[in-house]
Amino acid sequence: MRHRKFRDLRIYACLLLSLASVLEAQQTTARFLLLQPSATSNAMGGVGTALTGDAFSAYHNPAALAFSKSFTAVGSFVKPIPVFGDIAHSFIGISRPFGSTGAFAVSANLFWAGKQFVTSEDGGIRGITSEFDWVGKISYALPVRNNLALGLGISVVQRRVWEDIKDFRNQHSYEYKLTLPNRLGIMMDAGVFIQNLIPGLPSFSNREFTGSPLDPSHEAGLSLAVSLLNVGPELYSALEESTDPLPTKLMIGLAYSPIQVGILEFKLASDLEKQLHEPSTLDYVHLGGEAGVGGVLRLRAGYFADTFGPKNSYFTCGGGIRMRFLALNVARYTRALLPSWHFDGVLSLEL
């Protein structure tokens, strides 16, 4: 039986890798899709491919939704570059399991660029531009076995850009407002998730791992997951007046929990990230851990490693309060020049 499980894993992983091999490109648009939406994930170095539990899985790996036992509603908010107060990123989503039928999720990924100055060739300010990008996604996960699930997501992505330009050519001044062409793009996600990969592996726990809907028992053991995200045709970029490929990426994740010592409970996870529009072999390594104290308080830390530019690597930290049906989380990290604070909330109800 164990050999059969590993054989199925190899088959699904090979399918994802073969699809990824034909998608490599050198440039990309809609780069906000590379921002992890969850404060929990960002506090743990950006991991998430092999973690389950709520609707944020619709972003990281649609297959992980199959192992959720409750309805969840999530929302997050962050200003990726704090010095630009009108740039913001948000994610909202809901997920609902239906037993052996599978699980569904609906989510939206939102990015505001706010008002930015447009400069001329001589460095002068000649206008203002603003941007609002969004992705609407429907995800589905099918449990193939008790510990194996497959997932698929279909998305619509749109970039909307407005410009208010002043032109001083020929010593005549006039203004005009322009809404650049809005183009829709279609994307797909695919994922594989295997939990309790090695059933005989000890959990290092001195009591039964039960927990709330926000900390489900199905996370126990070693999990392995693979996801291929943002796959689709090129998207029209109004700013460059050209078509560019989407930021497709391949993720491979491992997670292990619980490791319990007294009232402390630990979870460890890691992700390998390959962005297919980049020429490098491996772009990022995500490492993270979570410690639970008394089943309520969560403390998290991680490391985001840039394999191509070590100076772009950074440590992450954060925490949260996890109650029976509600969790509030915060993350702190320095992706840009100044530290960013990332917030999210998770509502979970057993239905």
Side-chain angles (χ1 to χ4, degrees):
M1 178 65 70
R2 184 177 300 178
H3 293 295
R4 186 176 180 181
K5 293 177 181 177
F6 282 109
R7 183 190 64 187
D8 291 341
L9 172 63
R10 290 195 299 268
I11 292 174
Y12 294 125
C14 288
L15 289 174
L16 290 177
L17 289 171
S18 63
L19 180 58
S21 64
V22 299
L23 296 171
E24 187 161 348
Q26 302 301 318
Q27 299 178 358
T28 183
T29 187
R31 295 187 66 87
F32 75 97
L33 294 171
L34 299 175
L35 300 175
Q36 292 94 342
S38 165
T40 300
S41 173
N42 277 300
M44 298 172 63
V47 300
T49 307
L51 300 180
T52 67
D54 54 48
F56 281 118
S57 297
Y59 172 86
H60 295 284
N61 184 356
L65 294 166
F67 299 115
S68 176
K69 296 182 178 180
S70 59
F71 167 86
T72 63
V74 305
S76 70
F77 179 80
V78 65
K79 292 184 176 180
I81 307 177
V83 294
F84 298 110
D86 52 356
I87 296 179
H89 179 224
S90 185
F91 183 93
I92 55 176
I94 58 173
S95 64
R96 173 74 161 88
F98 292 92
S100 60
T101 304
F104 290 89
V106 178
S107 60
N109 199 340
L110 312 172
F111 180 80
W112 296 268
K115 293 183 178 180
Q116 308 294 328
F117 291 113
V118 178
T119 59
S120 57
E121 295 180 357
D122 59 3
I125 297 175
R126 57 185 293 263
I128 295 176
T129 182
S130 60
E131 182 176 351
F132 173 61
D133 304 331
W134 60 269
V135 172
K137 180 185 295 185
I138 298 177
S139 305
Y140 171 70
L142 175 66
V144 179
R145 293 193 178 90
N146 291 334
N147 71 329
L148 171 64
L150 306 178
L152 183 68
I154 300 178
S155 309
V156 175
V157 56
Q158 184 179 48
R159 299 189 65 192
R160 295 174 59 89
V161 181
W162 296 267
E163 285 190 351
D164 186 358
I165 302 297
K166 296 182 179 180
D167 199 330
F168 299 96
R169 291 174 297 182
N170 300 322
Q171 298 181 350
H172 293 286
S173 175
Y174 61 90
E175 299 181 12
Y176 66 92
K177 291 185 178 181
L178 170 66
T179 300
L180 296 177
N182 300 322
R183 298 297 177 90
L184 291 173
I186 303 296
M187 301 188 305
M188 296 186 65
D189 300 337
V192 180
F193 197 104
I194 295 185
Q195 64 175 7
N196 196 18
L197 184 60
I198 306 177
L201 196 65
S203 65
F204 303 102
S205 177
N206 55 21
R207 66 173 175 82
E208 185 180 357
F209 184 56
T210 55
S212 72
L214 290 169
D215 198 7
S217 60
H218 57 257
E219 288 189 6
L222 179 66
S223 298
L224 171 64
V226 179
S227 63
L228 185 62
L229 307 176
N230 308 327
V231 180
E234 293 187 345
L235 179 67
Y236 179 81
S237 175
L239 291 175
E240 291 80 19
E241 297 184 352
S242 63
T243 56
D244 293 317
L246 294 165
T248 307
K249 60 180 181 178
L250 176 68
M251 305 292 296
I252 301 176
L254 282 173
Y256 186 73
S257 66
I259 304 172
Q260 185 177 336
V261 180
I263 64 171
L264 299 179
E265 200 167 77
F266 298 93
K267 176 189 301 180
L268 301 175
S270 66
D271 279 0
L272 301 180
E273 178 178 345
K274 173 66 185 87
Q275 297 182 3
L276 302 185
H277 54 273
E278 299 290 347
S280 53
T281 303
L282 177 66
D283 293 292
Y284 303 107
V285 177
H286 308 267
L287 302 171
E290 178 187 75
V293 182
V296 176
L297 180 64
R298 290 293 186 269
L299 301 176
R300 305 179 180 100
Y303 187 66
F304 183 101
D306 188 335
T307 61
F308 186 74
K311 66 179 181 179
N312 299 321
S313 302
Y314 54 87
F315 288 96
T316 65
C317 63
I321 298 176
R322 181 172 292 181
M323 295 168 281
R324 176 66 180 171
F325 299 110
L326 179 66
L328 300 174
N329 305 290
V330 62
R332 180 179 171 86
Y333 50 91
T334 307
R335 186 193 304 272
L337 299 176
L338 296 176
S340 298
W341 289 93
H342 197 129
F343 303 91
D344 77 26
V346 181
L347 173 67
S348 181
L349 299 173
E350 289 184 335
L351 301 176

